[in-house]
Amino acid sequence: MNSDEVSSCEYQKFKDDFDKYVSGNLRTSKEAEYMQTHEDEEAILTEKLENLRELIASSKHMVVYTGAGVSTECGLPDYRGKDGVWTKRAKGEKYDKFDVNNVSTGFTHKWIAEGVKEGRVKHVISTNVDNLHVKSGLVRKENLSELHGNLFIGECRGCGKEFKLPNPLQLDDTTRLEHTITPPIPCSVCSEPLCDNVVSFHSTFEDVPSMEAIHDAAWVQCIKADLLLVLGSSLSVPSACDLIDTTHEKGGKVVIVNRQRTPKDRFAVMNVFADCADVVRQLPW
C-alpha cells in the first residue's frame, strides 16, 4: 500500500469516526433532554442573577469558561443548539459555512475583557477558535487559555515559534486530520512549514503539541478558582469539559449559563437558562 492509499484510509477512518462521534455526542437517541432548549421564567431568572451577583462579589479568584454560545450574538453558529453545526450534520441537513474574518466581538466578549482588566476575572478558558477573545483585548497564554486553538495562529513544529496570520485558516476535513496549512506558509525563523493549532476530533497532544501546556495552564486556573462561570458551553467534549470537575473537587463553585442542560450540571451550584449576553448585561462592572 503506497502513502496515498494509507492517507486515504486514515482519512476515511477519521471521517467515519467523526460522524459516529457527532451522532453519539449529541445524545439524540438516549438523552434527548440535552437537546431541548430551556428558558428561565423572569422571576426565577431575577433570583438566580441576584445570587450570581453575590457569588461574583465574594469571589477572590473567578475564572470564566466560554463555549460557542458566547459568539452566537456575533452571528456565528453554535454546535449543539437547535440549529447548531453538529445538530444539523447528525440529521443529515446542510449547514452554512461561516467566515470569522469580519466578525466583531459581542457584548459578552467585551464584558469578560472588562472584568479581566479590572482584576475581577483572573483568567479566561475557551473552547472557541474564532479569535474573538483576542479581538476583545485578552492575551493568549497570559490571561486566556484557548483549549482548542485559534484559526488565526500558525505554529512551527520545527522551532516552536507561533505567528499571527492575517486571515483565518480555512480548514477542511483533510487539513483537520493532518494539521497542514494550504497553501504552505514557511516559518520565518527556520523555514519549516507552519501548522495549525486547532484541536479537532481525533486530535491529541501529539498532533498539536502546544495544546498540552495550554490545557495544563487552564487546569491550574480551575484548581485556583473559587468561582468558575461557564458561559455558552454544552460541556460535552473531553478533556476540555473535564476541567469543570477539577474546580468542583477542589471546593470551588460552578455556575453554568446555557440554554441547554449539560452533562456537568451535577457539579453546578446554579444553572441559568438564558442567553449569555442577556445575563452578563445584568451583572457587575
Side-chain angles (χ1 to χ4, degrees), residues 77-88 91 93 95:
D78 59 18
Y79 290 95
R80 295 169 182 81
K82 180 181 177 182
D83 297 312
V85 173
W86 297 161
T87 304
K88 288 188 174 182
K91 294 178 179 179
E93 299 176 1
Y95 53 90

Side-chain angles (χ1 to χ4, degrees), residues 1 12 17-19 36 39-40 43 78 116 136 141 161 175 186 193 213 247 264 285:
M1 184 179 293
Q12 188 58 48
D17 286 349
F18 181 75
D19 288 339
Q36 296 176 4
E39 183 174 2
D40 283 327
D78 59 18
V116 171
S136 74
K141 301 181 181 180
K161 298 289 185 180
T175 54
T247 296
K264 301 297 182 177
W285 70 77

Side-chain angles (χ1 to χ4, degrees), residues 100-252:
V100 301
N101 200 29
N102 298 313
V103 177
S104 299
T105 55
F107 185 89
T108 306
H109 298 99
K110 296 171 184 175
W111 178 83
I112 294 169
E114 185 64 24
V116 171
K117 182 179 178 181
E118 293 192 6
R120 304 289 296 277
V121 175
K122 303 302 183 184
H123 198 78
V124 178
I125 300 168
S126 184
T127 56
N128 297 341
V129 299
D130 53 29
N131 198 51
L132 292 179
H133 282 306
V134 175
K135 280 188 176 182
S136 74
L138 301 188
V139 181
R140 299 182 67 251
K141 301 181 181 180
E142 183 177 310
N143 48 37
L144 171 64
S145 295
E146 294 177 310
L147 298 177
H148 291 167
N150 187 310
L151 287 172
F152 288 80
I153 296 295
E155 63 180 25
C156 179
R157 304 290 170 81
C159 65
K161 298 289 185 180
E162 68 173 39
F163 302 87
K164 182 178 179 180
L165 304 176
N167 296 301
L169 297 168
Q170 301 298 318
L171 303 181
D172 56 29
D173 285 343
T174 301
T175 54
R176 282 192 179 95
L177 173 64
E178 300 174 353
H179 295 282
T180 53
I181 295 177
T182 305
I185 301 175
C187 173
S188 61
V189 177
C190 69
S191 299
E192 287 290 314
L194 299 184
C195 298
D196 73 73
N197 71 348
V198 176
V199 177
S200 299
F201 174 73
H202 247 303
S203 293
T204 64
F205 291 148
E206 187 175 283
D207 299 318
V208 190
S210 63
M211 288 299 103
E212 184 169 12
I214 298 292
H215 187 278
D216 288 349
W219 177 70
V220 170
Q221 289 296 325
C222 286
I223 290 176
K224 293 180 177 180
D226 58 9
L227 175 60
L228 181 62
L229 177 59
V230 180
L231 297 173
S233 175
S234 65
L235 299 176
S236 298
V237 182
S239 58
C241 69
D242 296 328
L243 291 170
I244 278 68
D245 306 38
T246 301
T247 296
H248 173 73
E249 290 165 1
K250 295 300 180 180

Side-chain angles (χ1 to χ4, degrees), residues 52-59 62 111 120 227 283-285:
L52 181 52
R53 282 190 284 267
E54 292 176 1
L55 289 174
I56 291 174
S58 63
S59 174
M62 175 179 169
W111 178 83
R120 304 289 296 277
L227 175 60
L283 296 178
W285 70 77

